[in-house]
């Protein structure tokens, strides 16, 4: 039926699950460290369950690195997180170095981190101090509308940047 791609597990699925679990655990009253630890354990269990293909291994390593950083009250820097994911992925299977899917997975994440982030910063920063003051006091509905539009444009920018880089 052409829907088998819906059954494929990727790094995005793992990240979505981790984010949902984070909010659920926090809503249930778990502390930050407890939520980070539980998300890391759930991520490892899920990654083991679905198989450690390169994109899942990369995503699981990045999620666990982020969780460990959160547990010890450190910020997870994108370059360090991506490097740790590369070491973990290649540690699982060194032949992934020559796997095109693995290379494109890391390339896409690098494009998101270093290609899209500067564009977001440039686009979301108000041009003048007057603009900043106006945005501080604008109505809530306008802030939400602006945030929704910003989210849609950011998703489009990420897609374009990733496609151009992988091209």
């Amino acid at each position: 039926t052409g829907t088998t791609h819906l059954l494929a597990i990727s790094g995005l699925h793992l990240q979505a699950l981790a984010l949902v679990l984070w909010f659920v655990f926090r809503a249930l009253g778990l502390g930050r460290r407890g939520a980070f630890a539980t998300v890391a354990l759930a991520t490892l269990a899920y990654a083991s369950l679905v198989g450690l293909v390169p994109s899942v291994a990369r995503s699981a390593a990045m999620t666990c690195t982020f969780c460990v950083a959160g547990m010890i009250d450190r910020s997870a820097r994108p370059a360090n997180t991506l490097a740790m994911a590369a070491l973990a992925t290649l540690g699982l299977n060194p032949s992934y170095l020559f796997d095109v899917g693995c290379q494109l997975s890391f390339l896409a994440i690098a494009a998101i981190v270093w290609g899209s982030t500067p564009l977001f910063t440039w686009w979301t920063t108000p041009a003048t101090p007057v603009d900043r003051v106006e945005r501080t006091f604008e109505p809530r509905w306008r802030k939400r509308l602006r945030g929704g539009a910003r989210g849609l444009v950011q998703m489009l920018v990420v897609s374009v940047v990733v496609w151009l880089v992988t091209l």
Side-chain angles (χ1 to χ4, degrees), residues 10-15 43 54-64 85 89:
S10 69
L12 178 63
H13 297 113
L14 193 80
Q15 293 297 314
T43 297
S55 63
V56 172
R58 178 204 40 81
S59 182
M62 291 181 77
T63 301
C64 289
T89 302

Side-chain angles (χ1 to χ4, degrees), residues 16-142:
L17 177 66
L19 185 64
V20 168
L21 287 175
W22 166 259
F23 284 119
V24 167
F25 293 143
R26 292 296 287 166
L28 291 175
L30 240 60
R32 267 179 19 90
R33 289 186 177 137
F36 276 130
T38 311
V39 166
L41 289 174
T43 297
L44 290 174
Y46 184 72
S48 298
L49 177 71
V50 300
L52 291 169
V53 295
S55 63
V56 172
R58 178 204 40 81
S59 182
M62 291 181 77
T63 301
C64 289
T65 302
F66 183 81
C67 288
V68 168
M71 284 188 285
I72 60 173
D73 293 327
R74 302 278 186 201
S75 63
R77 297 181 183 226
N80 295 345
T81 305
L82 194 59
M84 184 63 187
L87 291 173
T89 302
L90 293 176
L92 286 173
N93 188 350
S95 69
Y96 284 160
L97 181 63
F98 306 105
D99 182 45
V100 175
C102 183
Q103 294 170 0
L104 289 175
S105 177
F106 278 93
L107 181 64
I109 296 302
I112 289 170
V113 170
W114 290 295
S116 303
T117 306
L119 290 174
F120 295 155
T121 304
W122 168 77
W123 184 61
T124 58
T125 304
T128 65
V130 174
D131 290 335
R132 279 186 236 129
V133 170
E134 285 179 349
R135 286 192 183 172
T136 302
F137 295 108
E138 70 185 357
R140 183 177 294 157
W141 66 268
R142 188 176 290 165

